[in-house]
Amino acid sequence: RDDGPPKEILDFRDNSKDGEYWEALTRIIPKRTLKLWDALGAALLEYHKVLSRRSELLSEATVLQKQNS
């Protein structure tokens, strides 16, 4: 019984435009947006450093208050 085309034909796929497809995916997010995200990431890291230092200073102040009382 014939079930259709041979398996070799079914496995064939036209991949001639695969490179164009993947190249196009690298440009989905505009460079301007990526630069903005990079800047925001850097700013958040700096903010995290400030908050961490503030937390350390608050802990030190609490210890000093206990010593003074």
Side-chain angles (χ1 to χ4, degrees):
R1 170 177 160 206
D2 190 318
D3 288 343
K7 184 163 176 47
E8 300 85 35
I9 294 175
L10 291 176
D11 287 341
F12 176 75
R13 182 174 88 58
D14 179 14
N15 59 2
S16 63
K17 296 194 180 205
D18 285 3
E20 291 176 34
Y21 171 79
W22 291 111
E23 181 64 29
L25 282 181
T26 65
R27 294 185 300 272
I28 286 179
I29 301 172
K31 285 185 180 184
R32 183 176 175 192
T33 302
L34 291 175
K35 286 181 181 180
L36 175 64
W37 288 350
D38 288 343
L40 287 172
L44 284 174
L45 285 174
E46 288 301 315
Y47 187 54
H48 180 263
K49 288 179 190 176
V50 168
L51 291 178
S52 296
R53 181 64 181 142
R54 185 175 176 181
S55 174
E56 291 171 9
L57 292 173
L58 184 59
S59 296
E60 290 176 22
T62 303
V63 168
L64 290 173
Q65 284 176 341
K66 285 181 182 178
Q67 287 177 357
N68 287 336
S69 60

